[in-house]
């Protein structure tokens, strides 16, 4: 099963990359055959690396959630860039590295959350604790309220992104 | 649509980032500046492809993005002191 | 074609502004982590807008002039280049920050450093 998924994904990427090679049809026959051979080879070589044992990402509802997630993500990203532009011009910074515990269980959701944190307002994920799934976040302009209690509140950093990551990948 | 001023501004950006590569200080800062240059070069290649109407430049840009990502990962691994 | 040109010029303006802010931030900020903030976010965002302008132009020519193969291929490949740039930039920033912290680079003017406390334990 994992071999089949890997080979299919490789073949689809190949087809998108070689589109328009022939004027009459979208692909000519030699391209299709060579791509199929290469996709089978890639699937046989990489089947244990690409997808693992867990097949829950095949559910189309998760892909739909991912597409919906792109809209709030893009707005947060635009806000982040205006914020960073303001800090570049004024030079007003107050940085710190804080530890947050987003309560996520698997690697894919943690990856999505870490990438979202990197691209959204004023924060940058630095390190991850693999045992407890805690993230260390560099924060460019810290909120003094967060510093008071030790299990840090993650809502000022990445307000509802852990819920989105849980919805997509858990 | 004229693309020449766009590519000139991109070249100015790349020049400013190259200055940071030479000033330093320290390996991590130089790596950050180098990664910025890679992103700007990928964008410039896409602009050049539109300017000269050569599709092959976009393919070069895709391969450059992926290879520069591998370069960044390996240099980062070297800086943090891991064995390969 | 006029509307498409206007959209492209607006996108290129936004993109060039953010690219310039990113590389100026490389010189304005005091230490490696804040420079990484400026460099990663601003250049990624600017590149999204510039490549989107290229996509809009080539898609416009493709739609107006029919099956013109070079422009259609350029449109699809530019989308792929954008996806490659988005996926690799955030991950690369993460790798660089982690490597810098493990090599002993301290965040300048930092108020709290939880990661340093963990390494001291």
């Amino acid at each position: 099963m994992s071999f089949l998924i890997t080979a299919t994904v490789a073949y689809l990427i190949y087809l998108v990359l070689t589109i328009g090679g022939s004027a009459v049809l979208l692909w000519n026959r030699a391209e299709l055959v060579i791509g199929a051979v290469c996709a089978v080879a890639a699937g046989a070589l990489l089947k244990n690396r690409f997808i693992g044992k867990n097949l829950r990402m095949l559910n189309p509802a998760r892909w739909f959630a991912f597409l919906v997630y792109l809209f709030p993500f893009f707005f947060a990203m635009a806000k982040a860039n205006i914020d960073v532009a303001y800090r570049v011009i004024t030079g007003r910074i107050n940085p710190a590295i804080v530890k947050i515990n987003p309560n996520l269980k698997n690697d894919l959701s943690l990856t999505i959350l870490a990438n979202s944190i990197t691209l959204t307002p004023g924060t940058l994920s630095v390190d991850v604790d693999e045992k407890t799934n805690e993230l260390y976040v560099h924060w460019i302009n810290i909120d003094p309220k967060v510093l008071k209690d030790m299990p840090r509140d993650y809502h000022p950093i990445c307000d509802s992104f852990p819920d989105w990551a849980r919805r997509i990948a858990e | 649509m004229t693309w020449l001023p766009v590519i000139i501004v991109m070249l100015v950006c790349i020049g400013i980032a190259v200055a940071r590569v030479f000033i330093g200080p320290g390996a991590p800062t130089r790596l950050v500046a180098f990664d910025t240059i890679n992103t700007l070069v990928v964008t410039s290649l896409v602009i050049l492809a539109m300017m000269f109407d050569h599709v092959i430049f976009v393919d070069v840009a895709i391969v450059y993005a992926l290879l520069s990502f591998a370069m960044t990962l390996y240099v980062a691994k070297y800086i943090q002191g891991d064995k390969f | 074609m006029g509307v498409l040109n206007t959209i492209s010029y607006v996108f290129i303006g936004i993109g060039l502004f953010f690219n310039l802010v990113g590389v100026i931030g490389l010189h304005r900020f005091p230490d490696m982590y804040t420079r990484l903030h400026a460099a990663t976010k601003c250049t990624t965002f600017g590149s999204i807008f510039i490549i989107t302008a290229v996509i809009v132009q080539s898609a416009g020519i493709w739609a107006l002039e029919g099956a013109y193969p070079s422009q259609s291929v350029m449109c699809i490949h530019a989308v792929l280049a954008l996806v490659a740039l988005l996926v690799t930039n955030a991950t690369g920033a993460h790798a660089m920050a982690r490597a810098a912290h493990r090599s002993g680079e301290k965040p300048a003017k930092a108020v709290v450093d939880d990661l340093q406390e963990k390494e001291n334990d």
Side-chain angles (χ1 to χ4, degrees):
Chain A
M1 190 66 192
S2 60
F3 163 73
L4 205 63
I5 294 167
T6 313
T8 313
V9 170
Y11 198 45
L12 283 179
I13 292 173
Y14 175 83
L15 288 184
V16 171
L17 269 172
T18 54
I19 201 166
S22 129
V24 185
L25 284 167
L26 283 175
W27 298 277
N28 56 34
R29 197 178 297 151
E31 277 178 353
L32 288 177
V33 173
I34 293 170
V37 172
C38 291
V40 168
L45 281 175
L46 299 175
K47 63 182 175 193
N48 295 325
R49 294 288 180 93
F50 182 61
I51 198 159
K53 289 194 170 54
N54 209 322
L55 297 179
R56 69 165 89 81
M57 283 310 284
L58 284 181
N59 187 353
R62 295 180 188 278
W63 288 90
F64 184 71
F66 181 71
L67 287 181
V68 174
Y69 168 66
L70 288 181
F71 291 99
F73 176 66
F74 192 78
F75 276 113
M77 200 168 159
K79 217 167 65 187
N81 282 280
I82 293 166
D83 182 65
V84 170
Y86 167 74
R87 288 186 200 293
V88 167
I89 293 163
T90 60
R92 195 175 298 162
I93 56 170
N94 190 16
I97 294 185
V98 295
K99 179 172 81 171
I100 59 169
N101 189 0
N103 294 320
L104 296 175
K105 287 182 210 68
N106 67 10
D107 289 347
L108 182 62
S109 58
L110 207 59
T111 311
I112 293 173
L113 180 65
N115 275 357
S116 309
I117 283 176
T118 299
L119 291 172
T120 49
T123 48
L124 178 76
S125 43
V126 174
D127 206 344
V128 60
D129 192 336
E130 282 99 350
K131 291 195 195 77
T132 56
N133 281 347
E134 285 166 331
L135 280 174
Y136 293 89
V137 177
H138 182 270
W139 199 356
I140 198 168
N141 188 27
I142 195 164
D143 187 356
K145 274 180 285 183
V146 181
L147 292 179
K148 282 176 195 150
D149 43 353
M150 193 44 211
R152 316 268 193 216
D153 184 16
Y154 60 74
H155 285 98
I157 296 176
C158 50
D159 39 26
S160 63
F161 287 150
D163 304 332
W164 279 104
R166 198 171 295 127
R167 218 168 292 160
I168 291 169
E170 272 182 11
Chain B
M1 189 87 203
T2 53
W3 295 95
L4 191 61
V6 185
I7 203 77
I8 290 172
V9 178
M10 291 301 289
L11 279 179
V12 171
C13 288
I14 293 175
I16 299 172
V18 166
R20 182 44 84 184
V21 173
F22 281 118
I23 297 169
T29 308
R30 287 169 211 258
L31 180 60
V32 171
F34 212 88
D35 192 65
T36 312
I37 294 172
N38 285 332
T39 310
L40 295 174
V41 167
V42 171
T43 315
S44 305
L45 277 172
V46 176
I47 296 170
L48 283 176
M50 196 65 204
M51 188 171 153
F52 294 122
D53 207 2
H54 283 177
V55 181
I56 193 74
F57 284 5
V58 187
D59 299 339
V60 175
I62 296 173
V63 175
Y64 187 91
L66 298 175
L67 280 181
S68 73
F69 173 59
M71 189 282 286
T72 305
L73 286 189
Y74 272 103
V75 178
K77 216 167 163 51
Y78 168 71
I79 286 175
Q80 88 186 37
D82 282 2
K83 294 279 191 296
F84 288 101
Chain C
M1 213 54 215
V3 183
L4 285 182
N5 272 341
T6 314
I7 294 173
S8 296
Y9 278 126
V10 170
F11 277 11
I12 283 174
I14 298 172
L16 287 181
F17 171 72
F18 278 111
N19 274 345
L20 270 175
V21 164
V23 291
I24 291 170
L26 272 180
H27 287 263
R28 290 267 305 173
F29 282 152
D31 75 322
M32 182 260 166
Y33 299 97
T34 43
R35 277 177 195 145
L36 197 54
H37 273 280
T40 317
K41 279 177 202 153
C42 291
T43 52
T44 308
F45 199 64
S47 299
I48 288 176
F49 273 98
I50 291 179
I51 296 179
T52 309
V54 171
I55 292 170
V56 166
Q57 279 285 313
S58 54
I61 296 174
W62 182 18
L64 288 181
E65 299 186 10
Y68 186 51
S70 133
Q71 296 298 330
S72 63
V73 172
M74 185 176 298
C75 181
I76 293 165
H77 284 203
V79 172
L80 281 177
L82 184 57
V83 171
L85 208 59
L86 273 180
V87 173
T88 58
N89 253 342
T91 318
H94 193 127
M96 281 188 282
R98 176 178 157 127
H101 207 284
R102 296 220 170 150
S103 76
E105 179 112 350
K106 299 278 180 298
K109 298 192 224 166
V111 188
V112 181
D113 194 344
D114 285 344
L115 186 53
Q116 193 65 46
E117 289 164 14
K118 176 199 159 200
E119 281 165 3
N120 290 340
D121 285 344

